[in-house]
Amino acid sequence: MNPTAAILIIGDEILSGRTRDSNMHFLAQELARVGIDLCEARIVPDRMQAIVRAVRELSAAHDHLFTSGGIGPTHDDITADAVAEALGRPLSVREDARAILQAHYDRSGIPLNEARLRMARIPEGAELIENPVSAAPGFSVGNVHVMAGVPRIFEAMVASLLPRLTGGTPLLSQSLRILRGEGEIAGPLAALAADYPDLSFGSYPFQQDGAYGAHVVIRGADGARVGEAMTRLAALFPEDRAG
Amino acid sequence: MNPTAAILIIGDEILSGRTRDSNMHFLAQELARVGIDLCEARIVPDRMQAIVRAVRELSAAHDHLFTSGGIGPTHDDITADAVAEALGRPLSVREDARAILQAHYDRSGIPLNEARLRMARIPEGAELIENPVSAAPGFSVGNVHVMAGVPRIFEAMVASLLPRLTGGTPLLSQSLRILRGEGEIAGPLAALAADYPDLSFGSYPFQQDGAYGAHVVIRGADGARVGEAMTRLAALFPEDRAG
């Protein structure tokens, strides 16, 4: 069994429609590559109670919880406080985190003021996640990995973090583009899927230039089984494939 | 108080990183326009137990729950079954939904086979949601609004559905682009926010061509208050604005 994971995205700006999240999709692709199964995603607003509850539920239900957003210097950045409360750990300025910030701001000639120092508050027992973009670190505490919301920083933190997590078997997938309506594909596909309980069969319809079709995706850990099922699928729809 | 809402997106293809969801962002913008507050979003896989639990939790916690995905004709389309189970309502082929499908497929000369007929299965007591794109309807049952995952169809269903929901006061927002690091903005912004407990103040950092800045967004139902707060914010950072 692969390790399981959830992602929690924190931010009013996503729920209000102002910003379109991209971190979920990025993380989903990275986790698939290393064999960690992303099982749930949630987006909650910048409100303490909502974050605390989601952190508790998701960290208890999965091997890993990744969070995105709310670790900057402004008053609406409350993720570190919420994660510390959810896990019952004290939160305070940590010297190694402060030193990272001090060095970063010294280089830029910018004072490490009270607001910026908030970014050095780390829950007890956490391990820092390096931020090569803007210095202020993320952190892993228990099975919760707390990262920034700005996509460039989130992506850099994921790159810092993933090598120290134990992955599983990457899910392999093959897909077939079939130029028939899903209503034609459904019957034969269900019968085929019943022969391969170890694989997952998904059908994703599209409509293009007036023609109906579907991408059928077969996923599984065993490449030979995926390939065998795909060969049978292709034989069921020999003249309908395209591209 | 505005009505509250959640969205539940159902689909392995989103969590596996294969597809990037766009329906959440679309719905967030539409709801903001009509004054329904989107408070949470979740993405779960095509698994019965996960969908049932999320439908129960989210429909109990909010005035509306909107779902996206899993109502097509294939074996992995189990949303109607899961919603019926979550709400304890029987699910069966309904004659008006069958008639809509029959007319649609008659026009195209395509048989209404067993797989396609699955799309006429509607929980007891539901109201249909029109689908002008591909006929197969969505439905509202209790406070749960069940719609397709294909973005063009989801968007058309939202357009069919929203006029019959009671909205609230649309949230107004004004934003200011400030060319200073968030660490400079944080202190004065927190002090200003404390003077306006009825408004929400968000700060969204960016980095562009080596310069740090933030979009500060002030949101609230009362346009005059938002305007007043924005005037004070702009006076705090007179020479830093851009764009």
Side-chain angles (χ1 to χ4, degrees):
Chain A
M1 289 280 287
N2 283 351
T4 66
I7 180 170
L8 175 63
I9 290 162
I10 294 145
D12 289 342
E13 74 279 19
I14 311 287
L15 292 168
S16 72
R18 185 180 176 279
T19 304
R20 187 177 168 191
D21 168 67
S22 68
N23 292 342
M24 206 290 282
H25 183 59
F26 175 82
L27 184 67
Q29 294 181 309
E30 290 299 299
L31 293 180
R33 213 172 41 77
V34 299
I36 295 177
D37 295 344
L38 183 60
C39 297
E40 183 170 354
R42 289 195 196 177
I43 310 175
V44 296
D46 304 306
R47 267 178 235 128
M48 184 62 75
Q49 209 191 343
I51 306 171
V52 169
R53 196 174 54 200
V55 167
R56 283 193 181 137
E57 288 180 17
L58 295 173
S59 66
H62 301 285
D63 295 320
H64 295 286
L65 169 61
F66 301 87
T67 78
S68 158
I71 61 168
T74 59
H75 68 286
D76 56 337
D77 289 308
I78 56 174
T79 299
D81 307 74
V83 169
E85 180 170 326
L87 303 184
R89 306 226 188 182
L91 179 75
S92 58
V93 170
R94 212 167 85 175
E95 281 316 309
D96 55 348
R98 182 212 286 264
I100 290 168
L101 291 175
Q102 189 76 64
H104 174 75
Y105 289 115
D106 282 353
R107 274 195 302 276
S108 330
I110 289 174
L112 178 53
N113 62 15
E114 196 186 339
R116 294 193 174 102
L117 196 57
R118 292 187 76 229
M119 297 189 286
R121 296 179 314 142
I122 306 290
E124 198 173 285
E127 185 169 358
L128 300 186
I129 299 174
E130 194 191 339
N131 169 1
V133 177
S134 57
F139 56 84
S140 296
V141 54
N143 66 344
V144 183
H145 311 287
V146 175
M147 295 179 283
V150 175
R152 255 187 78 210
I153 306 177
F154 179 82
E155 293 167 16
M157 286 181 169
V158 168
S160 303
L161 171 65
L162 279 191
R164 67 178 195 234
L165 304 183
T166 304
T169 313
L171 209 58
L172 302 171
S173 73
Q174 291 191 27
S175 87
L176 187 68
R177 189 169 181 270
I178 300 176
L179 280 178
R180 293 202 202 179
E182 271 199 304
E184 298 283 318
I185 299 167
L189 183 63
L192 183 63
D195 283 353
Y196 294 87
D198 53 323
L199 305 180
S200 100
F201 292 71
S203 171
Y204 309 110
F206 64 83
Q207 195 188 356
Q208 211 174 350
D209 307 327
Y212 287 93
H215 291 104
V216 173
V217 179
I218 305 179
R219 298 184 191 89
D222 181 337
R225 292 277 291 169
V226 171
E228 182 191 310
M230 183 50 80
T231 302
R232 285 183 55 190
L233 178 68
L236 288 170
F237 301 100
E239 73 287 5
D240 294 292
R241 271 169 290 159
Chain B
M1 288 283 287
N2 283 351
T4 66
I7 181 169
L8 176 64
I9 290 162
I10 295 145
D12 288 344
E13 75 278 21
I14 312 285
L15 291 168
S16 71
R18 183 180 177 277
T19 303
R20 186 178 168 192
D21 168 67
S22 69
N23 293 343
M24 206 290 281
H25 183 59
F26 175 82
L27 184 67
Q29 294 182 310
E30 291 298 299
L31 293 181
R33 213 172 42 76
V34 299
I36 295 176
D37 295 344
L38 183 61
C39 298
E40 184 170 353
R42 288 194 198 178
I43 309 175
V44 297
D46 304 306
R47 269 177 235 130
M48 184 62 76
Q49 208 189 346
I51 306 171
V52 168
R53 197 174 53 199
V55 167
R56 283 193 180 137
E57 287 180 17
L58 295 173
S59 67
H62 300 285
D63 295 319
H64 297 285
L65 170 61
F66 302 86
T67 79
S68 158
I71 61 168
T74 58
H75 68 285
D76 56 338
D77 289 308
I78 57 173
T79 300
D81 307 75
V83 169
E85 179 170 328
L87 303 184
R89 306 224 187 184
L91 180 75
S92 58
V93 169
R94 212 166 87 173
E95 281 316 309
D96 56 349
R98 181 212 287 265
I100 289 168
L101 291 175
Q102 189 75 64
H104 173 76
Y105 289 115
D106 282 353
R107 273 196 303 276
S108 329
I110 290 174
L112 177 54
N113 64 14
E114 194 185 342
R116 296 191 173 104
L117 196 57
R118 292 187 77 229
M119 297 189 285
R121 296 179 314 140
I122 306 288
E124 198 172 285
E127 185 169 356
L128 300 185
I129 298 173
E130 195 191 337
N131 169 0
V133 177
S134 58
F139 56 85
S140 296
V141 54
N143 66 343
V144 183
H145 311 288
V146 175
M147 295 180 284
V150 176
R152 253 188 79 211
I153 306 178
F154 179 82
E155 292 166 16
M157 286 182 170
V158 168
S160 304
L161 171 66
L162 279 192
R164 68 178 194 235
L165 304 183
T166 303
T169 312
L171 210 58
L172 302 172
S173 73
Q174 291 191 25
S175 86
L176 187 69
R177 189 167 182 271
I178 301 176
L179 280 179
R180 294 201 201 178
E182 273 199 304
E184 298 283 318
I185 299 167
L189 182 64
L192 183 64
D195 283 351
Y196 294 87
D198 53 322
L199 305 180
S200 99
F201 292 70
S203 172
Y204 308 110
F206 63 82
Q207 197 188 355
Q208 211 173 347
D209 306 327
Y212 286 93
H215 291 104
V216 173
V217 180
I218 305 179
R219 297 185 192 89
D222 181 338
R225 293 275 291 170
V226 171
E228 182 192 309
M230 183 50 80
T231 302
R232 285 183 55 188
L233 178 69
L236 288 170
F237 301 100
E239 73 288 4
D240 293 292
R241 272 168 289 158

